[in-house]
Amino acid sequence: MSQASQHSDLPTGPFSGVDLSCLLKKTTLESEVVFEADARALEQYGSGMTFEEQDGRTVAVTEDGFLLRFTAKLSPGAHAFLLPGHGPDRERTGTFQLLIDGTPVRFPIGLLGKPLMIPSTAFHISEARDYEFVLNPDGEPGSVITGMRIERRSVKVNRPPMREDLLGKHPRLYFTDDDLDTLRARLDNPRVGLFYKLPPPLTEKPPPFQTGEGVRNDLPWLNFNDHALACLLEPTDERLAGVLEWLEMAATYPAMGASLGAGYFMESVGMAYDWMYPTMSDELREGVCGTIARQCEGILPLSMEGRDGSGGCFQAHRCWFANMALALGAAAIYEDVPEAEQWLAWGLDRLERIVMSASPDGGWHEGPGYWGFGIPRLFIFTDIYERCSGLQIPAGDDFFRRQTEWRAQHMFPGLKLTAAFGDVGRNAEPPDTKTLLWGAKRYQDPVAMGMAEAMNQGPCSDAFNFLWLDEDLPSPAPQEAAPLMSRFDDIGMVLARTSWEDDATYFAITSHPLGGQLQARLNVEQKFPGGCFHGHPEQGHFILFGRGQELAGDPGYSIKKLTINHNTILVDGKGQYADGEGWPGPNAARAEIADAVTDGDITIATADATKAYPPELGLTRFERTMVLAGPDIVLVYDRLAAEEPRTFIWNLHHYGDPPTDVSPEDGVATFVKGEARMDIAALAPSNARMTVAPFDCADSYPPNCEQEPQHLVQLHHEPTTEGSFLVAILIGDKGTTPPKIDHASDELCDTLRIGDTLIAFNRGDSEMSVTTPWGEELATSARALVASDSNGKRRVVTLPGA
């Protein structure tokens, strides 16, 4: 037997300025090796392998018929089975299924071609005895194994995770008995009534647990905690009878692992156990406590090994679900089950790592779709941390503070539909109001409160609409207070609109490493796993909305992530890093938002996506500058260069009917959608070849072709080592004629005059000279310039040079 003890902290490099003293005192992960065999010893436990010397050590190489079978005596607790090694080659993964007494462990073991950590799986043992283990391959042979071992894991609690003043109290999550009169009085506040209403008594019968593939046992429980809260706010015999009947059924449920469903179930049942504790019989209390304890026992070992569905990434929504469930359940049954102290301490420890690795400016790489159900779990998790420990989170407020802004800026004008960046279904609806209320209350942010009020769908019975609402907070309308442009450098996004009115024009551009800048450093430089599974090869991509319609779109969720699905550049028909992958892993791609500036309804932003493309394509420059010059004008200017002649292809996706007019030889196409008209005019290069064709979007999820037709506009640049695209996109009302474009180009700059607006793009780094619409001569080294003379107001907006 050997004993090992280690801190489970993140690498500290990216977290300069963060006080780690609290973090490192909270928990210690202790590991005891209870079974171990090196590669040569594997022969006595099975067959189907050969042995080689690699890098100065003996390794086992799997063949057809590989199987290992052995017996180990284990004690109760969390365990990990580790299988050091790698897949058959850098591109292929070796997959193995572990069975314990004939029952498969939930998560198989994957030996990657180049593992970032020791491949493993995890499980809980309930009683001390001998167990039979079988390791079967689930794939092709050729994996390299250097040994195997089983470790028993435990948590040493260095600081009590529960405040002393909450001990012996129920309810204690969010409030105590002393707060109930105040909470009940809030129901009479008219402003509370705008957001919250009591649910009707729970009369539906609770469902028994069902087995079978694809069964969602959590769904009936999603709103159960709403009824538990209502029991306390308006106690009646009918309300109480319904909630207690459901709790009796909850007491019969088995462990559900670390799935999203387990998180939802624990959220409702854990809250209800704490809130209804005084009203339950001893027998019922014991039964529900047992259910919660079973969930925690199953989650803990998976969390320890990063086998909670997150791939070991603290910024994956599955990590948030699993560890929130662990912490919430432990907080609910703290003192009732001795192990709950370890479970809660470990859960709070995970929350610290989540907030310390969160984007420093509020963006999140999984996109607004997963945000909708991921971020509420993280808000609850944070509440549990601060409520139980009495401590403020050690980091993360920079992330949390801008959540409402980040999500609101993904809303198209009219605040009804969501821009489909990342894995999110097209035409996604507004976020739940509670997700906007949390930040408004926490940071006493009137702008966030105004946004919550603007997107409020009316009163609902969600418990968190009540708990996260600050009805005394001012709420200015977005038109009065919300920024027209938001920039998120870590996740690489600029989102801008001409106003917060329904008829505004909107654009957003993205350019970032998969997962964001901080995740990329953790992933690549510090060998930290995960962080980009829902990312897309979309750098330089933009979305455009105007006159009430999405005009240049994104496919949203797709099974296979493809560069051609996005409004960006192909090089010789090839895409960016992660092109064609289903769940992109860490890679060496780098991209960024170089700069952005805004003044009223004018925004200029530049994205540098040069390093988003694999080196074999030889790309040395891809800088995209976008201009939003009022509600009618959008310009896209790309500077491109390569080590040898390459064909550059410019892409724009339009969801809707075919163009009403197209002139490929002139580089012009017109689309009409609803009451909106979009005119695309390719101004440079002069010999660009335009094509417009239906686009097969069958790989989107769900297939977007079933919802609306899709057309791809492409501009083809002749092979060159240095080139550019300059495209004007004019937005107007259906049935109107687009304004004239006067385009002039010289060796220093491209200038366009459209009505009373002049736009100029610097073709290099030198000073360019332009004449404003009012006749003033300007000399500037800016990257781009907009001079506007409209409504009696003269403005010059410049984006500084590189």
Side-chain angles (χ1 to χ4, degrees), residues 79-164:
H79 290 73
F81 179 89
L82 296 94
L83 193 68
H86 59 80
D89 54 47
R90 293 177 63 90
E91 304 300 325
R92 293 182 292 167
T93 297
T95 305
F96 298 84
Q97 180 69 64
L98 182 69
L99 292 85
I100 304 176
D101 286 349
T103 301
V105 173
R106 175 177 171 80
F107 288 99
I109 305 169
L111 272 62
L112 302 177
K114 188 179 180 182
L116 294 175
M117 57 185 180
I118 297 175
S120 65
T121 191
F123 50 90
H124 174 78
I125 293 296
S126 298
E127 58 178 311
R129 62 177 176 85
D130 288 335
Y131 292 85
E132 182 187 62
F133 290 80
V134 175
L135 186 70
N136 280 321
D138 185 16
E140 57 188 295
S143 291
V144 174
I145 300 173
T146 61
M148 64 177 178
R149 67 178 184 270
I150 299 174
E151 296 181 2
R152 185 181 183 277
R153 301 286 174 81
S154 61
V155 178
K156 180 182 178 183
V157 180
N158 301 316
R159 182 188 186 281
M162 181 68 77
R163 290 160 38 192
E164 287 189 8

Side-chain angles (χ1 to χ4, degrees), residues 127 316 357 459 471 771:
E127 58 178 311
S357 59
E471 58 268 30
T771 303

Side-chain angles (χ1 to χ4, degrees), residues 765-786:
D765 302 319
S766 302
E767 191 173 86
M768 60 180 178
S769 297
V770 299
T771 303
T772 68
W774 54 91
E776 182 182 355
E777 296 290 334
L778 294 178
T780 177
S781 59
R783 192 192 303 261
L785 173 149
V786 177

Side-chain angles (χ1 to χ4, degrees), residues 383-687:
D383 291 345
I384 293 168
Y385 179 99
E386 295 186 339
R387 176 79 176 172
C388 294
S389 71
L391 302 172
Q392 186 175 350
I393 53 174
D397 277 310
D398 290 339
F399 171 72
F400 285 132
R401 196 182 310 275
R402 297 187 72 193
Q403 287 307 298
T404 295
E405 179 185 356
W406 185 84
R407 185 60 184 88
Q409 287 286 24
H410 277 76
M411 297 303 298
F412 286 145
L415 304 182
K416 302 297 183 185
L417 298 175
T418 297
F421 283 103
D423 277 348
V424 56
R426 286 181 50 75
N427 302 320
E429 296 179 349
D432 290 339
T433 305
K434 65 183 178 184
T435 60
L436 309 178
L437 293 173
W438 186 87
K441 181 178 181 179
R442 180 181 180 88
Y443 300 108
Q444 291 295 285
D445 184 351
V447 178
M449 188 63 198
M451 197 63 69
E453 203 158 279
M455 284 192 271
N456 184 24
Q457 304 296 301
C460 73
S461 301
D462 192 308
F464 293 102
N465 263 32
F466 183 78
L467 295 173
W468 290 344
L469 171 65
D470 183 346
E471 58 268 30
D472 297 323
L473 194 61
S475 55
Q479 294 89 333
E480 301 171 9
L484 295 180
M485 185 268 278
S486 293
R487 176 178 174 180
F488 300 90
D489 282 341
D490 184 74
I491 203 61
M493 297 190 80
V494 172
L495 309 100
R497 63 191 71 218
T498 55
S499 76
W500 283 94
E501 301 295 340
D502 293 357
D503 61 354
T505 297
Y506 167 104
F507 92 89
I509 185 170
T510 187
S511 186
H512 56 88
L514 293 185
Q517 303 292 345
L518 176 57
Q519 284 300 305
R521 294 201 299 273
L522 290 170
N523 291 344
V524 178
E525 297 170 11
Q526 304 199 32
K527 309 301 181 186
F528 195 70
C532 48
F533 305 121
H534 293 286
H536 288 222
E538 61 181 359
Q539 314 325 320
H541 166 64
F542 66 91
I543 289 177
L544 180 61
F545 184 99
R547 300 300 200 277
Q549 300 292 336
E550 183 187 45
L551 301 174
D554 184 296
Y557 211 132
S558 57
I559 305 303
K560 184 183 293 185
K561 280 49 172 177
L562 296 169
T563 307
I564 196 174
N565 284 355
H566 301 90
N567 303 323
T568 187
I569 295 293
L570 299 176
V571 181
D572 284 349
K574 298 177 181 178
Q576 301 172 0
Y577 276 105
D579 193 69
E581 295 183 18
W583 307 107
N587 58 52
R590 291 292 183 275
E592 64 179 357
I593 296 296
D595 206 353
V597 64
T598 190
D599 182 357
D601 61 0
I602 296 174
T603 295
I604 312 172
T606 294
D608 186 347
T610 307
K611 295 181 181 178
Y613 294 79
E616 57 266 25
L617 295 180
L619 192 68
T620 58
R621 169 175 281 169
F622 172 23
E623 293 177 0
R624 167 162 286 177
T625 298
M626 291 197 66
V627 171
L628 175 63
D632 303 335
I633 302 171
V634 175
L635 281 302
V636 185
Y637 180 63
D638 298 335
R639 295 178 64 191
L640 299 150
E643 295 172 348
E644 57 185 74
R646 299 284 184 180
T647 299
F648 300 115
I649 302 173
W650 188 97
N651 299 299
L652 182 146
H653 290 268
H654 176 75
Y655 291 82
D657 293 332
T660 57
D661 183 34
V662 60
S663 177
E665 62 277 7
D666 297 326
V668 175
T670 300
F671 292 88
V672 173
K673 186 176 183 181
E675 296 301 314
R677 189 206 70 243
M678 175 177 67
D679 293 280
I680 301 171
L683 305 175
S686 58
N687 60 351

